[in-house]
Amino acid sequence: DQQVKQNSPSLSVQEGRISILNCDYTNSMFDYFLWYKKYPAEGPTFLISISSIKDKNEDGRFTVFLNKSAKHLSLHIVPSQPGDSAVYFCAASEGGSNYKLTFGKGTLLTVNP
Amino acid sequence: GAVVSQHPSRVICKSGTSVKIECRSLDFQATTMFWYRQFPKQSLMLMATSNEGSKATYEQGVEKDKFLINHASLTLSTLTVTSAHPEDSSFYICSASKVYTEAFFGQGTRLTVV
């Protein structure tokens, strides 16, 4: 039973436009959410996170929105750049930032020049 | 950000042999390290949580006698795949956290058992 779901396996956007990556979760005990970016044959790189006490966190071109009632979060990248092309994983934790993570299956983002 | 180094990045071994993978936090002390496994086009699945100086906590369905985890110091955890078989071929990734920060991941190890 997947507790963290990324229902879109892939997404393609034009350079300069907004990329929106979605993530849903089922475990109401999750209290911390993270987004990681991953290139093939490399470990994930942390992008941005959000605590369940917030509904938005912004860092440069990256913004994460959390809707607790819907158990949904999204990552917005604007403007999108070709270098953003990678697999993006949504992850969730029950115990804060340094507890074990449950990952979604990832979404492959392709940003076309 | 903090650096987590994983070695080797790629290993090929014969069926029945054992393989050791190292995970080091280079510039911080990590009381807890995590080991994940990723199959092609799948999510990262947590295998076990490794705490310095104590036994690892394994997730359900992960054989602790097959995947030996040792966390001998605050900067080093090792995963040994014992008596490896082709179905153990996968991408193994470790992560380590400082207190109250997000997890930093190693580069991953591609294990191929032939």
Side-chain angles (χ1 to χ4, degrees):
Chain A
D1 177 35
Q2 273 235 294
Q3 297 186 60
V4 178
K5 300 177 184 178
Q6 291 177 259
N7 292 319
S8 297
S10 63
L11 173 69
S12 183
V13 301
Q14 209 63 31
E15 181 178 5
R17 308 294 288 268
I18 185 171
S19 296
I20 300 177
L21 298 129
N22 293 304
C23 178
D24 297 293
Y25 61 96
T26 58
N27 186 346
S28 57
M29 299 299 292
F30 287 144
D31 62 0
Y32 198 82
F33 304 90
L34 310 91
W35 284 94
Y36 283 86
K37 177 179 178 181
K38 185 180 182 299
Y39 295 110
E42 293 185 10
T45 303
F46 170 76
L47 273 178
I48 192 168
S49 62
I50 188 166
S51 164
S52 60
I53 63 173
K54 294 186 175 182
D55 54 20
K56 177 183 175 181
N57 189 26
E58 191 172 352
D59 184 2
R61 297 187 296 115
F62 302 93
T63 303
V64 56
F65 296 91
L66 175 63
N67 182 335
K68 282 187 297 182
S69 60
K71 292 190 175 69
H72 176 84
L73 65 153
S74 61
L75 173 68
H76 292 212
I77 306 173
V78 56
S80 301
Q81 299 173 355
D84 295 329
S85 297
V87 176
Y88 288 78
F89 285 96
C90 169
S93 163
E94 292 184 33
S97 60
N98 57 347
Y99 195 63
K100 60 182 180 181
L101 300 176
T102 301
F103 283 85
K105 288 188 176 182
T107 297
L108 173 61
L109 172 66
T110 302
V111 180
N112 302 303
Chain B
V3 179
V4 175
S5 176
Q6 193 172 335
H7 178 80
S9 59
R10 187 180 294 267
V11 59
I12 300 173
C13 71
K14 289 187 176 180
S15 186
T17 62
S18 296
V19 173
K20 180 184 282 188
I21 303 169
E22 291 188 348
C23 179
R24 294 180 185 273
S25 56
L26 296 185
D27 54 357
F28 68 100
Q29 293 183 329
T31 53
T32 304
M33 290 185 175
F34 302 93
W35 287 94
Y36 295 84
R37 180 175 180 177
Q38 185 186 23
F39 291 103
K41 298 185 179 180
Q42 297 294 319
S43 62
L44 285 83
M45 299 297 295
L46 179 66
M47 298 175 66
T49 303
S50 168
N51 294 295
E52 187 267 336
S54 63
K55 291 184 178 179
T57 302
Y58 290 80
E59 295 298 301
Q60 193 172 17
V62 178
E63 299 176 61
K64 61 181 180 181
D65 293 332
K66 180 167 187 64
F67 299 100
L68 300 179
I69 291 173
N70 183 276
H71 195 156
S73 75
L74 288 171
T75 60
L76 173 64
S77 176
T78 60
L79 167 68
T80 302
V81 183
T82 63
S83 187
H85 288 98
E87 57 265 31
D88 298 324
S89 298
S90 190
F91 192 58
Y92 294 86
I93 309 176
C94 70
S95 74
S97 300
K98 295 186 282 188
V99 179
Y100 304 125
T101 71
E102 66 282 351
F104 296 94
F105 284 81
Q107 307 95 314
T109 298
R110 169 69 62 190
L111 171 63
T112 303
V113 184
V114 298

